[in-house]
Amino acid sequence: MELPTRYTPADHEQPLYQAWEEAGCFRPTADPTGQDRRFTVMIPPPNVTGALHMGHALNGTVQDIVIRHRRMQGYETLWVPGTDHAGIATQAVVEKKLYQEENTTREELGRDAFLAKVWEWKEEYGSRILEQFRRLGASCDWTRTRFTMEDHMSRAVRESFVRLWAKGLVYRGMRLVNWDCKLQTAISDDEIEYATRKGKLWYIKYPLEAKPGEFLTVATTRPETMLGDTGVAVHPEDPRYGALVGTNCVLPFQDRPIPIVADETVDPEFGTGAVKITPGHDPADYERGARHKLPTLSILEKDGKLNELGAPFAGLSIEEARKRVVQGLEERELLEKVEDITHNVSLSDRSKTPVEPIISEQWFVKMEPLAKPAIAAVKSGRLKFRPERWTKVYLNWLENVHDWCISRQLWWGHRIPVWYDEDGTPVASIDDLEIGAPHPETGKPITHQDEDVLDTWASSWLWPFATLGWPDQTADVARFYPTQFLSTASEIIYLWVARMVMAGYEFMDELPEDDRCPFETVNIHATVLDAKGRRMSKSAGNGIDPIDMIEQYGADAVRYSLILLTKEGQDTKLAPDKFEQGWRFGNKVWNAARFVLMNLGGDRTTGNSADAARLEDRWILSRLAQTIESVTADLEAYSFNDAAMTLYRFVWNDFCDWYLELAKPRFTNADDETGAAARGILARVLGDVLAMLHPFTPYMTEVLWKALGEALGQKRGYLMTSTWPKGEGLDVDEGALSEMELVQEAIQAVRRTRVLTGVSERKPLAALFVAPRDHERAALEQHAASVRSLALLEGYEVAATGERPAGSAAAVAGGVQIFVQLGEDVDFEALKAQLAKKAEKLEQGIAQCDKKLGNERFVQNADPEVVESERERRAELDVELTMLRENLAGL
């Protein structure tokens, strides 16, 4: 059978995907072994507003590798897809669209009409990212696709809220919260990102009430918030201010006396050692104010403008108020000095505008009781992180957790299921309460439902079990919870992972404690950076569109490249041309398969070790057995890069570069009685390779699997639902491995000599192999044909002893000395000059390596892999230099 000369991804990918889906390949099927093994993966639901980016592509590939591997092992597998309603992000997108296309706002439309517009937008655009996951080859069970705002999920959210309410774990109160002035909603601590920016430190003189003409100077980065000051703090042991503690200073602009207090949290080294206390607009000041019983003033409106408490600057924006305050201080000669500084600014991760701490009435969840079992899950070993270092991030957040602000001042989202009577008495309910109906507790008429919606994470923390049907006791909940594997990004360990673990222990309380944890392993995938090591983003314009790369290289090449480039636990730098690596490997596999399929005609053995006829047969089947064992172990340990690299080396080096080259003469020689064994081994190796590669490169392997079946006269099902290789009939022949290693080293030594001396790789040469040890001498004599063929030697002599012939180059293979006669046409003087130059360059390279490795900062700060790579390079250069010097001396 003959395949096309090139594999064209576009011809196969979408038709194959449709065929898999129509055949039900993505749906769970019972474990054929009778062991009732199950394996569940929940997709981290991408925002419904999103488009596939490289982080999604990497994580989607990782999850698909896991689920395809387990499916082939016979597990009943389920991979649940879905999207998140992304409250803030989606509302912002629809509001912008409304303004641009209809010149209207959500306020003008009203709540119900606006929400109808959001649902329209979701129906039109919301499935885009899931369609892009299909292009990647993700084998999710699309019949179970979930959306965090669908009716069932909404009921699960209400159930969880009411349960927390009944246990007193939900409360409403006035607290300092993070406020997004642009989106006009509260956000949690975990929805803040920090940016380093240039700023100023203003030194402001506060007049002392009891000492006219004297001042206490405070340093601040926020002069406009001084209008909300209710005190000034100094360190109790700061000798400069001891006499002032207990007295008052006067707030400029408002002439309001405020106390000077001693507080141990003040840093005497910052600024002047005296800091203003603004409890209504700074988290640290909020705590200080509470300790010293200072009043809390809020000078900002929800839109970020100053209110009447900010007089005389009421109505101004924060930026304008800052300018006017500084100007007023200068006019009053109360500005001592200004310093340029660099500091961290907190930004909303949605609007990218500065976060303003303000006092607001919000809903909160008490987190400490929920955190305890989530902490115990990791400490007991029930939950494991990969790489293990992320355990610290998880525990650090949980062990210092603050109450969770779960209310958002939005319209798109799960509306808080709380209703109020005419006196404002709240009650939570799973079902809607009718306006005018009696309050379940007071009997008074219900007047309204709470206007706020829940934080997006208040639905996605239920994802592992609500997607399976909870709070109903469905067959899916019983069968597929808890899940086994979660792969996600490091930045949502506390936003999402920790909360899902808390939710599992809190809401799946009918299960034994060990079964409540929602997953066994959390895999934190690498961050994909651009070629310069920067995070990819729309604003930076440095993103790489995975769909563009799929169009150019095919989904298999994109998937395999991402895994080859991503070492577990390390971020990866990516440029578009990096995908050529996976594309070239795919071509190698395709061409190897073409060769195999063209040479399967005639008698064939089973391809088992018992049928091996020659050294290369025993060796390749031993290497196949080792590869199956290694790849299986790596995939079960979620070491995806290691598995991909093992397969890459086996296919490219062992199978293509060695076995196929050694076996070729056996197909062209009709008298070679070992042809049947070679054909059986070709079929066996290719079949097992395709099966092991399938989780990584599903499309091409499926095409080749079908072609191989046809060539063998077999009617086969899909590769994705076939059996994972177990190595039946394969033995590891240590003797064959050892013998083959010597043969390979001998061939490579001759090839290196050609490179070193500049002799053409096609020029026939003669070589003397001096092998004092009997077994090495016997192996070289027995396999002389193979060595002569691949090393292109016309003269071949093996001896126990021997002298180096004149005009020869020297090399070593194991315990064998090899002398390669270069021929009379070589200009030895020119060769010596050339080798001397090479030696000089090698010495320079070694010196550069030594300089790097002798630099303590490099050794301590560089990635361990980079340091190890430098050490390996130094050793390789040393070996090359030694060989070169030996040859120079002989010449």
Side-chain angles (χ1 to χ4, degrees):
M1 178 181 181
E2 189 168 349
L3 289 172
T5 55
R6 295 176 70 86
Y7 171 66
T8 308
D11 292 345
H12 301 285
E13 290 181 353
Q14 295 195 41
L16 252 182
Y17 195 92
Q18 184 179 345
W20 284 331
E21 190 171 4
E22 289 175 356
C25 295
F26 303 157
R27 304 194 66 180
T29 54
D31 181 355
T33 67
Q35 298 175 66
D36 198 26
R37 298 169 302 166
R38 283 157 273 167
F39 201 95
T40 311
V41 175
M42 296 287 172
I43 199 169
N47 286 351
V48 72
T49 57
L52 198 72
H53 58 61
M54 274 301 165
H56 291 133
L58 172 61
N59 198 29
T61 299
V62 163
Q63 294 169 84
D64 199 40
I65 288 170
V66 170
I67 211 72
R68 285 178 184 271
H69 172 233
R70 293 301 189 183
R71 187 184 289 124
M72 292 176 74
Q73 285 187 315
Y75 285 77
E76 184 177 1
T77 55
L78 174 63
W79 184 12
V80 176
T83 50
D84 190 285
H85 66 278
I88 293 176
T90 305
Q91 180 162 314
V93 166
V94 177
E95 285 194 76
K96 183 178 179 181
K97 185 172 185 284
L98 278 174
Y99 186 75
Q100 289 175 339
E101 297 180 5
E102 301 180 30
N103 195 29
T104 189
T105 66
R106 65 182 170 104
E107 290 82 6
E108 290 170 352
L109 277 179
R111 187 167 192 149
D112 291 343
F114 175 74
L115 290 177
K117 290 285 186 182
V118 181
W119 278 106
E120 284 176 19
W121 182 92
K122 187 266 175 186
E123 292 306 313
E124 186 172 354
Y125 300 105
S127 62
R128 175 181 57 176
I129 192 165
L130 295 183
E131 289 302 319
Q132 290 173 328
F133 268 104
R134 289 170 179 263
R135 289 292 309 275
L136 188 67
S139 57
C140 304
D141 182 355
W142 300 106
T143 66
R144 287 176 164 85
T145 302
R146 296 289 176 257
F147 177 52
T148 53
M149 281 284 287
E150 67 188 32
D151 289 345
H152 170 77
M153 293 293 290
S154 294
R155 189 161 69 87
V157 169
R158 285 194 174 188
E159 175 84 22
S160 65
F161 185 94
V162 170
R163 287 196 189 191
L164 294 174
W165 170 281
K167 294 177 73 171
L169 294 176
V170 174
Y171 65 95
R172 186 169 173 83
M174 295 292 290
R175 291 275 297 274
L176 190 72
V177 298
N178 306 303
W179 189 261
D180 185 322
C181 296
K182 182 177 180 180
L183 300 174
Q184 295 194 31
T185 181
I187 60 174
S188 71
D189 292 343
D190 311 313
E191 294 169 302
I192 293 175
E193 57 187 40
Y194 296 91
T196 301
R197 291 188 176 173
K198 292 180 179 178
K200 295 187 182 297
L201 188 63
W202 286 271
Y203 288 76
I204 303 171
K205 298 192 292 186
Y206 283 44
L208 296 176
E209 184 181 47
K211 298 181 179 181
E214 294 187 32
F215 305 89
L216 174 60
T217 301
V218 303
T220 181
T221 59
R222 299 290 307 273
E224 71 280 5
T225 63
M226 67 183 293
L227 304 164
D229 288 0
T230 55
V232 171
V234 297
H235 195 278
E237 296 178 7
D238 193 329
R240 295 172 292 178
Y241 305 118
L244 295 180
V245 174
T247 67
N248 291 339
C249 55
V250 178
L251 184 67
F253 300 111
Q254 295 184 353
D255 297 330
R256 175 162 49 85
I258 56 176
I260 301 168
V261 300
D263 194 286
E264 290 185 349
T265 63
V266 175
D267 179 4
E269 302 299 319
F270 176 77
T272 64
V275 295
K276 66 193 196 67
I277 302 176
T278 319
H281 297 288
D282 183 275
D285 289 351
Y286 183 79
E287 301 293 336
R288 287 174 183 144
R291 279 194 295 275
H292 298 285
K293 296 182 172 56
L294 301 177
T296 298
L297 304 179
S298 183
I299 64 167
L300 292 179
E301 298 287 359
K302 291 181 178 180
D303 60 1
K305 292 181 179 177
L306 273 65
N307 59 27
E308 67 279 0
L309 294 178
F313 305 103
L316 298 181
S317 67
I318 293 167
E319 294 77 12
E320 186 60 30
R322 183 177 301 166
K323 293 176 187 175
R324 296 279 292 276
V325 166
V326 170
Q327 182 183 345
L329 291 170
E330 288 174 331
E331 290 170 355
R332 291 166 171 76
E333 297 183 348
L334 294 176
L335 189 61
E336 186 174 292
K337 63 177 179 176
V338 182
E339 292 178 351
D340 291 326
I341 61 168
T342 301
H343 63 143
N344 280 337
V345 177
S346 55
L347 304 174
S348 165
D349 69 353
R350 292 299 179 194
S351 70
K352 307 303 180 187
T353 56
V355 171
E356 291 296 337
I358 66 169
I359 295 293
S360 177
E361 189 174 28
Q362 301 288 341
W363 286 96
F364 297 87
V365 173
K366 295 178 182 177
M367 297 292 271
E368 191 176 344
L370 300 177
K372 288 178 180 176
I375 291 169
V378 161
K379 292 191 172 180
S380 69
R382 171 64 182 84
L383 174 63
K384 292 182 173 64
F385 279 82
R386 288 195 75 263
E388 197 274 335
R389 70 173 186 272
W390 292 110
T391 305
K392 293 180 182 177
V393 174
Y394 171 90
L395 287 176
N396 184 59
W397 185 76
L398 284 172
E399 289 169 349
N400 299 280
V401 72
H402 298 290
D403 285 355
W404 175 16
C405 176
I406 57 167
S407 48
R408 298 291 181 269
Q409 287 63 54
L410 304 169
W411 287 354
W412 174 245
H414 296 281
R415 194 165 174 180
I416 291 176
V418 170
W419 283 260
Y420 301 87
D421 68 10
E422 57 193 17
D423 296 331
T425 304
V427 64
S429 174
I430 293 172
D431 299 314
D432 284 348
L433 299 182
E434 289 185 26
I435 304 304
H439 188 289
E441 295 172 7
T442 67
K444 295 182 178 180
I446 295 289
T447 58
H448 66 284
Q449 184 182 356
D450 199 289
E451 292 290 320
D452 291 349
V453 300
L454 289 165
D455 178 10
T456 296
W457 301 104
S459 52
S460 51
W461 77 324
L462 309 175
W463 190 252
F465 45 88
T467 52
L468 298 173
W470 185 91
D472 298 331
Q473 295 303 310
T474 64
D476 275 3
V477 171
R479 191 144 193 81
F480 297 112
Y481 187 90
T483 74
Q484 282 65 50
F485 179 80
L486 173 75
S487 185
T488 190
S490 60
E491 57 263 29
I492 56 174
I493 289 174
Y494 42 84
L495 278 169
W496 188 47
V497 177
R499 286 178 176 149
M500 284 192 289
V501 178
M502 288 189 275
Y505 280 100
E506 178 63 23
F507 301 121
M508 300 301 286
D509 51 353
E510 70 280 359
L511 296 177
E513 189 164 348
D514 279 352
D515 290 340
R516 295 182 198 173
C517 187
F519 9 76
E520 294 173 6
T521 301
V522 177
N523 178 73
I524 304 300
H525 66 74
T527 300
V528 182
L529 309 173
D530 72 6
K532 296 179 180 177
R534 303 172 302 175
R535 276 183 172 267
M536 292 184 181
S537 68
K538 283 183 184 177
S539 58
N542 63 344
I544 301 172
D545 187 337
I547 301 301
D548 288 346
M549 296 299 99
I550 289 172
E551 295 285 352
Q552 185 173 350
Y553 295 105
D556 290 330
V558 169
R559 291 164 61 112
Y560 209 71
S561 298
L562 284 170
I563 299 302
L564 283 178
L565 294 166
T566 309
K567 186 73 177 169
E568 275 75 33
Q570 296 178 20
D571 293 343
T572 186
K573 295 178 183 178
L574 192 62
D577 60 2
K578 295 280 190 180
F579 293 101
E580 289 182 9
Q581 190 172 0
W583 178 75
R584 285 194 298 269
F585 179 67
N587 284 342
K588 191 78 169 178
V589 174
W590 184 262
N591 288 331
R594 286 187 73 237
F595 177 84
V596 171
L597 295 176
M598 287 190 292
N599 287 282
L600 287 182
D603 294 338
R604 282 187 311 275
T605 63
T606 61
N608 291 339
S609 295
D611 300 319
R614 295 179 56 164
L615 170 64
E616 61 262 28
D617 297 346
R618 299 195 305 276
W619 170 76
I620 195 65
L621 293 177
S622 297
R623 288 292 299 119
L624 178 62
Q626 291 176 326
T627 300
I628 291 171
E629 183 180 0
S630 177
V631 170
T632 304
D634 285 339
L635 288 180
E636 289 179 353
Y638 307 122
S639 298
F640 308 106
N641 177 267
D642 291 343
M645 287 303 301
T646 297
L647 278 168
Y648 186 97
R649 293 187 187 108
F650 177 77
V651 171
W652 198 293
N653 300 337
D654 296 344
F655 188 52
C656 296
D657 287 356
W658 288 105
Y659 185 74
L660 293 185
E661 293 302 316
L662 287 167
K664 274 179 184 176
R666 298 159 68 182
F667 304 116
T668 55
N669 183 358
D671 297 328
D672 193 325
E673 297 178 356
T674 67
R679 283 188 286 274
I681 289 165
L682 286 183
R684 171 65 185 266
V685 174
L686 180 61
D688 283 357
V689 161
L690 293 177
M692 288 188 285
L693 278 174
H694 179 77
F696 300 89
T697 56
Y699 291 114
M700 184 180 65
T701 52
E702 190 73 82
V703 172
L704 292 175
W705 178 258
K706 181 181 179 184
L708 178 61
E710 290 173 359
L712 296 174
Q714 299 171 353
K715 190 171 183 180
R716 292 177 161 184
Y718 289 112
L719 175 56
M720 74 172 293
T721 54
S722 68
T723 305
W724 182 259
K726 298 185 183 69
E728 294 100 331
L730 298 180
D731 300 319
V732 177
D733 186 332
E734 296 293 347
L737 291 171
S738 178
E739 269 188 67
M740 187 65 184
E741 184 179 7
L742 177 62
V743 169
Q744 289 173 308
E745 286 183 3
I747 294 167
Q748 288 168 332
V750 176
R751 288 173 175 173
R752 279 197 302 271
T753 301
R754 290 178 182 274
V755 173
L756 182 70
T757 58
V759 174
S760 166
E761 63 180 22
R762 304 312 304 162
K763 177 183 175 180
L765 298 175
L768 168 63
F769 296 82
V770 178
R773 294 193 284 245
D774 292 344
H775 71 279
E776 290 179 331
R777 194 164 61 253
L780 289 170
E781 289 170 346
Q782 184 180 353
H783 306 297
S786 295
V787 178
R788 291 182 68 162
S789 172
L790 296 192
L792 198 59
L793 295 175
E794 61 181 6
Y796 186 89
E797 182 183 353
V798 179
T801 61
E803 296 295 325
R804 178 176 180 177
S808 66
V812 175
V816 180
Q817 278 191 304
I818 304 170
F819 302 117
V820 181
Q821 296 178 40
L822 302 178
E824 295 177 358
D825 57 340
V826 174
D827 183 339
F828 286 99
E829 290 303 318
L831 180 57
K832 282 193 283 186
Q834 181 187 342
L835 295 184
K837 258 190 181 178
K838 281 189 178 180
E840 190 179 335
K841 282 189 177 179
L842 289 170
E843 287 165 352
Q844 290 172 356
I846 289 170
Q848 288 172 356
C849 289
D850 287 342
K851 186 177 178 182
K852 270 189 179 180
L853 294 170
N855 182 339
E856 282 189 25
R857 288 182 64 188
F858 169 75
V859 174
Q860 290 174 3
N861 298 331
D863 287 340
E865 196 173 63
V866 173
V867 177
E868 186 57 34
S869 175
E870 197 66 25
R871 290 192 177 114
E872 288 173 3
R873 179 170 176 267
R874 203 260 183 233
E876 288 168 5
L877 291 175
D878 198 42
V879 168
E880 193 174 345
L881 182 61
T882 301
M883 181 179 172
L884 196 148
R885 282 174 173 162
E886 285 177 3
N887 276 287
L888 260 175
L891 291 172

